[in-house]
Amino acid sequence: MTAPTTTEPDTAEAPEAGDDGAATGARRFSILAVVAAVVVGLLLGYAGGLLTPKLTRPGDASAEAGFARDMTTHHAQAVEMGLIAFQQGTDAEVVSIGGDIATGQQGEIGTMQTWLRSWGLDPTGSQPRMAWMPDGTASMKNGLMPGMATPEQMAKLRDTPRGREKDVLFLEMMIQHHLGGVHMIDGILDASDDPEVVRVAQTMKNTQQTDLTNLTAARDRLAKG
């Protein structure tokens, strides 16, 4: 996933009344395009996962299987957050970041789910969440994996009216989400020697670290407005 390019604040004036229909149609087309990209990303992730070498197969209680299962859940929340930002954001950069995160992480979900199938494993396993981490379940908080938003926080993100407050809320929540994701990625990089898992995890980390730079800059810019 290519990190979104930082843009200037969205200062476009509201369209004339006669342009409402065109603007609404364009936004609907844009939303459909990103939703289609999410689906394509998932399919490409599945295709990429099918290329994973099968010389060795991690077991049900392996760190690799635990990472694939838990990071799928972690990514799924990021995809939802990203789509909310894309569909309801008002700042141009927030919209771009949200769309990029949704499409990129959906593709990674496809890759991880294909790993599990190629290893002959179920999407859910017998081990507790985060049991595969070097420090075990110590980083779980209130039953949530690192960085994940609570149900109440997700409800607030969905329900906050469009505007600067919603944009900033998304940025703050996604910053925490990515920080937790990087922590989990570091865990699998420490625990695994599977070349494909390590390669994909390192790519995830690089992407999320770039995202964090852009998310933080956007949050700081909007906070000054």
Side-chain angles (χ1 to χ4, degrees):
M1 178 182 72
T2 302
T5 302
T6 303
T7 60
E8 293 300 317
D10 183 9
T11 56
E13 296 180 357
E16 296 294 331
D19 294 336
D20 284 351
T24 300
R27 185 168 186 84
R28 285 177 180 169
F29 176 81
S30 182
I31 290 171
L32 288 173
V34 167
V35 171
V38 168
V39 174
V40 171
L42 180 62
L43 294 175
L44 290 176
Y46 282 138
L50 289 172
L51 300 178
T52 304
K54 297 182 176 63
L55 297 178
T56 59
R57 293 191 175 191
D60 182 71
S62 67
E64 292 81 5
F67 172 76
R69 289 162 173 153
D70 288 352
M71 191 57 84
T72 290
T73 300
H74 203 272
H75 271 24
Q77 187 179 71
V79 170
E80 181 182 359
M81 291 165 63
L83 286 174
I84 291 171
F86 178 78
Q87 295 171 355
Q88 302 176 29
T90 53
D91 180 80
E93 186 176 13
V94 167
V95 171
S96 176
I97 290 174
D100 284 350
I101 288 175
T103 55
Q105 296 214 0
Q106 190 66 55
E108 291 170 355
I109 288 173
T111 296
M112 292 183 290
Q113 289 301 296
T114 302
W115 286 349
L116 292 171
R117 287 200 302 276
S118 70
W119 298 336
L121 302 176
D122 292 332
T124 57
S126 59
Q127 300 296 306
R129 289 204 184 279
M130 302 290 285
W132 56 274
M133 287 282 286
D135 60 351
T137 61
S139 56
M140 294 280 287
K141 184 176 181 181
N142 298 324
L144 296 173
M145 289 181 284
M148 288 194 70
T150 66
E152 293 77 17
Q153 288 173 320
M154 288 300 298
K156 182 177 180 180
L157 180 63
R158 295 185 200 102
D159 297 341
T160 298
R162 290 184 61 194
R164 185 181 300 273
E165 180 184 355
K166 191 183 193 80
D167 290 346
V168 172
L169 180 60
F170 161 74
L171 294 168
E172 291 176 341
M173 288 174 62
M174 189 58 75
I175 288 169
Q176 293 305 311
H177 202 275
H178 268 15
L179 289 173
V182 169
H183 175 70
M184 293 170 65
I185 294 168
D186 283 339
I188 194 61
L189 290 175
D190 288 342
S192 179
D193 58 3
D194 183 293
E196 176 66 8
V197 172
V198 169
R199 182 190 68 80
V200 172
Q202 186 62 59
T203 300
M204 286 184 189
K205 181 176 180 179
N206 295 344
T207 299
Q208 292 196 29
Q209 287 179 324
T210 300
D211 285 348
L212 280 166
T213 298
N214 294 327
L215 288 162
T216 302
R219 179 200 61 190
D220 293 345
R221 172 176 57 78
L222 288 178
K224 294 177 182 178

